[in-house]
């Protein structure tokens, strides 16, 4: 479905709004609705619309971005892009490396959805390798109680002679880093629309316009930094109005997680002023 079709389904009241009180529940919903097989824009927008809390908004945008830029990642199962390494204790947690025989060794210190992840994209210097998170030699552990997006499991990975399935070059990694924010923002606008419903007609119209604008920039490689900055300003203004129109105390972990919706703003603004 296109972004317009998804929005029409929502406006017609034909979009289900399931409750996913934990990550496992949202994982099932994501799979049941075929979001891994959907085009990336549709997956992000629909995933955001049906999310009942902000951690699932991040998951929706993140999964969509991964499948846009790494189309070899299987449609079934969640994936994580593992790029962060432990600079505080590199002896205990050595950086990820590839041995002479092509095996992956080392550690990564942040893995999203660590309790339900099936595929890992692991950065190794100037390349990235795809591995099966369930195969022998992959060890995942989990943070006890992450503060931000705490309903989403977040963990650590250790690799011991793991065989990669696919290798990607640095340009693919750069593109993912540059454009992932757009998908998370699109999912965020979907979430605001879903929670707002029809509480504020003018705000709803504004959010629909933002959703269509973000859908367009997600699908476009070369977008002017000022264009994305303008869309972000619109999103931040919409969030302010949303907090007036909606009882945000009823939204799970809104206070701790709402910064997801402005997490990329400083970088977007900085690029727009270069």
């Amino acid at each position: 479905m296109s972004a317009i079709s998804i929005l029409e389904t929502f406006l017609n009241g034909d979009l289900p709004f399931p409750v996913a009180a934990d990550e496992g529940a949202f994982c099932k919903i994501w799979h049941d609705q075929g979001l891994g097989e959907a085009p990336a824009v549709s997956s992000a927008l629909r995933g955001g619309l049906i999310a009942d809390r902000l951690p699932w908004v991040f998951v929706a945008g993140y999964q969509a971005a991964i499948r846009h830029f790494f189309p070899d990642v299987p449609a079934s199962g969640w994936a994580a892009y593992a790029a962060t390494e432990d600079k505080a204790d590199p002896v205990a947690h050595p950086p990820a490396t590839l041995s002479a025989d092509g095996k992956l060794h080392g550690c990564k210190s942040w893995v999203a959805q660590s309790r339900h992840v099936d595929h890992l994209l692991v950065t190794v210097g100037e390349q990235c390798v795809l591995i099966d998170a369930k195969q022998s030699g992959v060890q995942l552990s989990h943070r006890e109680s992450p503060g931000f997006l705490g309903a989403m499991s977040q963990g650590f990975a250790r690799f011991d002679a793991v065989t990669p399935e696919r290798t990607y070059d640095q340009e693919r990694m750069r593109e993912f880093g540059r454009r992932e924010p757009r998908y998370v923002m699109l999912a965020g606008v979907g979430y605001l629309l879903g929670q707002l419903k029809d509480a504020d007609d003018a705000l709803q119209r504004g959010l629909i316009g933002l959703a269509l604008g973000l859908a367009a920039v997600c699908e476009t490689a070369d977008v002017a930094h000022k264009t994305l900055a303008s869309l972000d300003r619109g999103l931040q203004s919409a969030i302010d109005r949303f907090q007036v129109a909606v009882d945000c105390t009823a939204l799970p972990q809104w206070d701790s997680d709402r910064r997801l919706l402005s997490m990329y703003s400083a970088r977007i603004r900085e690029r727009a002023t270069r």
Side-chain angles (χ1 to χ4, degrees):
M1 295 176 72
S2 67
I4 291 175
S5 296
I6 291 169
L7 291 168
E8 286 180 344
T9 300
F10 162 71
L11 292 170
N12 288 333
D14 296 329
L15 192 68
F17 287 93
V19 174
D22 58 41
E23 184 178 88
F26 188 68
C27 186
K28 184 177 186 306
I29 291 165
W30 187 90
H31 283 92
D32 287 350
Q33 299 210 8
L35 296 184
E37 291 87 2
V41 163
S42 300
S43 181
L45 178 56
R46 188 178 179 96
L49 277 164
I50 65 172
D52 69 329
R53 62 202 70 204
L54 286 165
W56 316 153
V57 171
F58 174 77
V59 170
Y62 184 59
Q63 294 303 314
I66 285 174
R67 283 167 176 80
H68 182 131
F69 295 103
F70 302 96
D72 303 290
V73 173
S76 61
W78 278 351
Y81 185 80
T84 306
E85 293 177 340
D86 186 356
K87 296 180 179 179
D89 193 353
V91 174
H93 308 111
T97 59
L98 290 171
S99 57
D101 61 357
K103 303 290 187 179
L104 178 65
H105 301 262
C107 301
K108 290 295 180 180
S109 61
W110 193 76
V111 176
Q113 315 120 176
S114 54
R115 295 186 187 277
H116 293 90
V117 72
D118 296 284
H119 318 287
L120 292 171
L121 290 152
V122 183
T123 60
V124 188
E126 295 184 353
Q127 58 187 334
C128 175
V129 296
L130 172 64
I131 66 168
D132 178 354
K134 308 297 186 184
Q135 71 175 291
S136 175
V138 180
Q139 179 184 350
L140 291 170
S141 56
H142 318 285
R143 286 172 169 80
E144 287 297 322
S145 53
F148 177 51
L149 303 179
M152 180 184 75
S153 61
Q154 302 167 43
F156 309 86
R158 183 179 292 272
F159 311 105
D160 181 14
V162 175
T163 302
E165 299 178 356
R166 178 71 188 262
T167 301
Y168 302 93
D169 62 20
Q170 192 175 39
E171 184 54 35
R172 189 75 62 93
M173 297 156 62
R174 285 199 192 101
E175 277 299 298
F176 174 76
R178 280 196 291 259
R179 293 168 64 183
E180 174 201 3
R182 305 178 196 180
Y183 283 96
V184 177
M185 291 166 67
L186 176 59
V189 171
Y191 173 76
L192 295 178
L193 270 170
Q195 300 304 314
L196 179 69
K197 297 183 173 60
D198 57 358
D200 183 323
D201 287 346
L203 178 54
Q204 185 185 70
R205 290 194 296 273
L207 287 169
I208 288 169
L210 278 173
L212 293 174
L214 284 164
V217 301
C218 283
E219 294 178 321
T220 306
D222 297 320
V223 173
H225 294 310
K226 290 185 184 296
T227 299
L228 191 56
S230 177
L231 288 167
D232 180 68
R233 286 194 299 273
L235 173 56
Q236 303 314 311
S237 175
I239 293 165
D240 291 340
R241 292 182 59 186
F242 176 85
Q243 292 184 112
V244 173
V246 172
D247 177 13
C248 292
T249 63
L251 303 179
Q253 293 85 49
W254 171 263
D255 284 343
S256 62
D257 293 341
R258 63 182 174 182
R259 66 184 174 93
L260 171 69
L261 301 175
S262 58
M263 186 167 67
Y264 306 105
S265 294
R267 186 182 2 161
I268 289 170
R269 286 197 301 269
E270 191 272 330
R271 286 176 174 170
T273 56
R274 287 178 184 173

